[in-house]
Amino acid sequence: MQRWVKFAKYLPKEGWQPVIYTPENPELTTIDKTLAKEIPPQAEIVKRRIFEPYGIYRLLMGKGSSTDLKTLTAAGSDDSEVNPVSGGSKNWKQKLSLYIRGNFFIPDPRVMWVKPSVKFLKSYLKDHPVDAIVTTGPPQSMHLIGLELSKATRLPWIADFRDPWTKMFYFKHLGLTKRSEEKHLKLEKQVLDGATRVIAVSPMVRDDFQSMTDTRVELITNGFDEDDFNNHIETDENFNITHTGLFAADGNPETLWKVLADKCSSDNEFRRALRIRLVGKTDKEIIKSIEAFGLGQNLKDFGYQSHEIAVKEQRNASTLILPLRKEPEYEAVLPGKLFEYLASRRPILGIGQTEGAMAKVIRDTGSGVVYDWPDEKRIRSYIDFCWEEFKNGELMDNTSDISIYSRRRLTKKLVALLEEITEKR
């Protein structure tokens, strides 16, 4: 969880000691041990066991299946899939597992950690006092811990939403009954109204939340850490089209693959130089699509890699691609990788909603372009532009000011908020 690892890293430099309460035995889809060195020695770590009912899910879906809702498998049994269960056809196992997850575990399968955590923390805080509480979600059940703990202790509480709640893109696919949906809406409202402050990571999400509550909603986006980009990286001789992070089938940029395939057919130099580098968990439908366009020999699928390697690959790119998922709610999303793409200073080709939150950031920073999924003409033109610049040795780094997205500056913004709510207390 880079957002809060980085906040924890910089909070002590601003005079705040983080006390991190986290599960001792969580279900995890991926682990990046290289981030452990970011945790400052001042941080106090408190761990407690958690029960998560994913054994039931595995019995239904098969051994090795993903347990993260955002990376649920389309087929239900292949851990290489990262496509969320969406509005497409589903087998009976998928339908049943979604129904159980959506209607029996509200707001999510971590909800059974709420009561024991509140009980433990009320006792713990008597001997280990703090000045403020911050909860971060999803899982949104973490906010229920903050809600009850703030009531019991009267401590000021910030609810940090890394994603929306009822307006998250997968919410409509959960198969919720009317009663379950009403319960989600009720809990969301209780959290928003009960918090001292709410944080959102996107302007559009902030505005949505603000329309639901009188609690002030602040914007603190995700960002990049300058320390991750200090080392000089030597680029190789290839024309690298690079994507890092999760790559789901419902964001498959088929038009881009067509453009690349056409250019390979008409330009042998381009075909020899082109490398499509996928660094992270990639849905096998993406791989099949690339191969179907005859680009298999140009493809390098690295699979999941550490954050350090992902950053190196970003900086080695000739063009970074950032396709959004084809869900209307994704218009409001600012993908976390966007800010590291900005820090890599390489050209960005965004594919998705052209008037969405991501498109605005890319336009404002002059870091690239965003085109709609089927916009072949403009996608082709941008690839041609980047290729010509690359051949001429003129593919320059973007030099725009992106300091508002640095982790240090974002932490200062968080600290100002913490000092405001504790001063009022």
Side-chain angles (χ1 to χ4, degrees):
M1 189 47 61
Q2 288 182 44
R3 178 176 176 83
W4 280 93
V5 168
K6 298 297 187 178
F7 279 142
K9 174 182 176 179
Y10 287 114
L11 278 168
K13 299 177 183 180
E14 301 297 327
W16 284 77
Q17 179 194 355
V19 181
I20 301 165
Y21 177 66
T22 189
E24 183 179 350
N25 58 321
E27 290 277 354
L28 299 171
T29 55
T30 53
I31 300 174
D32 185 353
K33 293 183 179 180
T34 66
L35 290 172
K37 66 179 182 292
E38 305 279 350
I39 301 170
Q42 300 94 327
E44 180 181 341
I45 313 297
V46 181
K47 294 186 177 183
R48 297 275 290 176
R49 293 190 65 80
I50 185 174
F51 172 72
E52 300 171 274
Y54 288 117
I56 301 171
Y57 177 80
R58 290 194 188 89
L59 285 174
L60 287 171
M61 305 303 286
K63 185 179 179 181
S65 52
S66 173
T67 57
D68 185 345
L69 181 62
K70 292 174 74 175
T71 58
L72 283 176
T73 67
S77 60
D78 186 347
D79 195 44
S80 68
E81 295 281 354
V82 300
N83 184 36
V85 175
S86 59
S89 60
K90 307 179 184 70
N91 60 40
W92 71 269
K93 288 184 177 182
Q94 288 174 299
K95 291 177 181 178
L96 179 59
S97 66
L98 274 179
Y99 182 84
I100 292 172
R101 184 259 181 254
N103 295 286
F104 286 78
F105 303 102
I106 298 174
D108 50 63
R110 278 83 173 187
V111 69
M112 285 180 285
W113 205 43
V114 174
K115 285 185 178 179
S117 292
V118 171
K119 181 180 179 181
F120 166 76
L121 289 171
K122 283 197 295 186
S123 174
Y124 179 84
L125 290 176
K126 290 178 181 177
D127 298 322
H128 307 82
V130 297
D131 296 291
I133 300 166
V134 180
T135 55
T136 183
Q140 312 298 12
S141 54
M142 301 302 97
H143 297 313
L144 303 185
I145 297 175
L147 178 64
E148 296 304 316
L149 201 58
S150 181
K151 286 179 183 177
T153 62
R154 297 186 178 274
L155 286 166
W157 161 46
I158 295 173
D160 174 64
F161 285 86
R162 303 189 313 277
D163 285 316
W165 189 330
T166 58
K167 293 189 177 181
M168 186 62 174
F169 70 93
Y170 56 65
F171 186 78
K172 62 181 179 289
H173 301 310
L174 287 176
L176 299 174
T177 64
K178 183 177 180 180
R179 182 178 179 182
S180 296
E181 185 173 352
E182 289 174 348
K183 187 171 181 180
H184 271 281
L185 291 166
K186 182 180 179 181
L187 289 173
E188 180 181 43
K189 178 69 172 167
Q190 287 176 350
V191 168
L192 293 175
D193 290 346
T196 312
R197 292 288 185 273
V198 173
I199 295 175
V201 298
S202 154
M204 297 172 77
V205 175
R206 174 198 57 194
D207 295 345
D208 280 340
F209 278 142
Q210 194 64 81
S211 70
M212 301 181 215
T213 184
D214 291 331
T215 304
R216 201 169 87 212
V217 184
E218 302 284 351
L219 174 66
I220 302 181
T221 66
N222 286 309
F224 67 92
D225 189 345
E226 297 98 325
D227 290 350
D228 295 336
F229 293 86
N230 281 338
N231 296 329
H232 177 69
I233 300 295
E234 292 290 340
T235 56
D236 64 33
E237 71 281 4
N238 298 311
F239 183 70
N240 296 313
I241 305 287
T242 303
H243 179 276
T244 65
L246 293 178
F247 203 167
D250 58 350
N252 185 14
E254 291 185 285
T255 302
L256 172 63
W257 309 144
K258 181 180 184 303
V259 165
L260 296 176
D262 289 348
K263 195 165 182 64
C264 283
S265 297
S266 61
D267 186 336
N268 286 331
E269 184 182 2
F270 179 82
R271 177 178 53 80
R272 288 191 294 268
L274 175 65
R275 300 292 183 273
I276 301 170
R277 301 170 75 88
L278 307 181
V279 186
K281 292 184 70 174
T282 299
D283 197 305
K284 66 182 180 182
E285 289 184 38
I286 302 284
I287 304 297
K288 289 179 179 178
S289 180
I290 293 171
E291 292 173 343
F293 278 99
L295 298 168
Q297 291 187 344
N298 303 93
L299 172 64
K300 175 64 176 177
D301 179 16
F302 290 83
Y304 178 76
Q305 298 291 328
S306 70
H307 179 245
E308 288 181 353
I309 292 177
V311 166
K312 289 179 181 178
E313 288 294 328
Q314 289 163 6
R315 298 181 70 187
N316 184 41
S318 307
T319 305
L320 289 161
I321 59 171
L322 214 175
L324 295 179
R325 285 170 161 149
K326 296 176 183 177
E327 298 273 1
E329 296 86 353
Y330 238 73
E331 182 179 46
V333 171
L334 283 176
K337 75 186 77 173
L338 168 63
F339 303 99
E340 295 197 330
Y341 276 23
L342 295 179
S344 74
R345 302 292 186 176
R346 311 310 292 150
I348 300 172
L349 171 58
I351 300 175
Q353 294 92 340
T354 57
E355 297 302 318
M358 180 185 77
K360 185 177 187 307
V361 171
I362 289 178
R363 280 197 305 269
D364 289 349
T365 57
S367 55
V369 296
V370 179
Y371 298 133
D372 203 353
W373 288 279
D375 195 343
E376 182 177 339
K377 181 179 179 180
R378 287 186 173 88
I379 292 173
R380 186 183 306 278
S381 176
Y382 193 68
I383 292 297
D384 288 344
F385 167 78
C386 290
W387 169 240
E388 291 302 318
E389 295 287 293
F390 172 82
K391 281 197 302 180
N392 297 330
E394 297 173 353
L395 195 60
M396 301 297 291
D397 288 348
N398 176 25
T399 58
S400 62
D401 182 8
I402 57 172
S403 60
I404 60 170
Y405 302 119
S406 75
R407 296 288 188 184
R408 286 187 178 91
R409 191 155 169 180
L410 294 167
T411 303
K412 288 179 183 292
K413 195 170 182 179
L414 173 64
V415 165
L417 188 57
L418 287 167
E419 290 176 349
E420 177 188 327
I421 63 174
T422 52
E423 178 67 21
K424 285 188 175 182
R425 180 180 174 235

